[in-house]
């Protein structure tokens, strides 16, 4: 059981969150405070801690993977970086280059040119919260 990945019971392409969760689960089980007087549990805890410290640090993990000969270990380090749907990979999260498109969709005008993206009639038809008709029915046109 010399391999740090085996010590923690994780895959070689595990994310940092998976490394942390595996460490926490095993640390609870083998912590010396839980296993009073059990030298095997204390030794196992030290091994788990050493594996965690190496695999959780990106720099140390890269060196360890190079020593093991594991290739492309950086691909799945951080959870939520990319996802595959129907064989196509796309990035999830905040895209700063698309802020103006989101702004246009939400507010209805281009923030750079100040020009509306839709005309007023089209905006009124698509507004699900438009209560003008109800207001006019009860209070009359003003």
């Amino acid at each position: 059981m010399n391999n740090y990945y085996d010590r923690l019971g994780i895959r070689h392409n595990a994310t940092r969150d998976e490394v942390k969760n595996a460490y926490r689960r095993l640390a609870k089980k083998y912590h010396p405070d839980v296993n009073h007087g059990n030298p095997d549990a204390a030794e196992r805890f030290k091994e788990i801690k050493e594996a965690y410290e190496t695999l959780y640090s990106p720099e140390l993990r890269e060196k360890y993977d190079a020593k093991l000969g594991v290739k492309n270990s950086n691909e799945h380090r951080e959870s939520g970086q990319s996802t595959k749907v129907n064989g196509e990979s796309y990035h999830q999260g905040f895209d700063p280059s698309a802020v103006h498109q989101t702004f246009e969709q939400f507010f209805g005008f281009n923030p750079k040119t100040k020009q509306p993206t839709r005309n007023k009639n089209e905006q009124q038809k698509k507004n699900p919260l438009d209560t003008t008709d109800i207001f006019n029915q009860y209070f009359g046109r003003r």
Side-chain angles (χ1 to χ4, degrees):
M1 214 198 245
N2 296 336
N3 187 331
Y4 289 163
Y5 293 100
D6 292 338
R7 286 184 191 177
L8 294 178
I10 57 175
R11 301 176 322 252
H12 289 279
N13 63 350
T15 64
R16 289 183 75 200
D17 288 339
E18 290 171 332
V19 172
K20 182 171 57 174
N21 290 337
Y23 168 73
R24 287 182 177 177
R25 180 178 37 82
L26 293 170
K28 276 184 186 178
K29 184 176 181 180
Y30 293 105
H31 197 277
D33 290 344
V34 176
N35 298 290
H36 298 289
N38 184 347
D40 293 335
E43 184 62 31
R44 178 86 168 108
F45 179 77
K46 289 177 187 176
E47 292 173 355
I48 292 166
K49 185 173 187 240
E50 179 184 16
Y52 168 73
E53 289 172 349
T54 301
L55 297 180
Y56 193 73
S57 167
E59 296 85 20
L60 293 175
R61 185 173 180 175
E62 189 173 328
K63 289 177 186 177
Y64 180 74
D65 287 347
K67 188 171 107 176
L68 280 183
V70 177
K71 295 182 181 180
N72 297 330
S73 59
N74 275 341
E75 280 183 12
H76 303 287
R77 282 290 150 78
E78 300 298 326
S79 60
Q81 276 190 347
S82 65
T83 304
K84 279 196 168 189
V85 176
N86 298 331
E88 292 183 25
S89 166
Y90 67 93
H91 182 73
Q92 291 179 329
F94 179 71
D95 182 11
S97 64
V99 170
H100 71 282
Q101 292 172 341
T102 305
F103 189 92
E104 278 184 54
Q105 290 174 348
F106 188 77
F107 292 106
F109 69 93
N110 185 327
K112 293 179 182 175
T113 63
K114 309 287 190 261
Q115 297 296 316
T117 55
R118 296 177 267 176
N119 64 27
K120 289 287 184 188
N121 289 338
E122 194 176 317
Q123 277 184 319
Q124 287 178 356
K125 290 178 187 175
K126 291 188 178 188
N127 185 354
L129 300 175
D130 186 16
T131 58
T132 306
D133 294 333
I134 296 171
F135 183 84
N136 289 339
Q137 183 180 1
Y138 286 103
F139 299 107
R141 290 193 177 251
R142 292 191 177 193

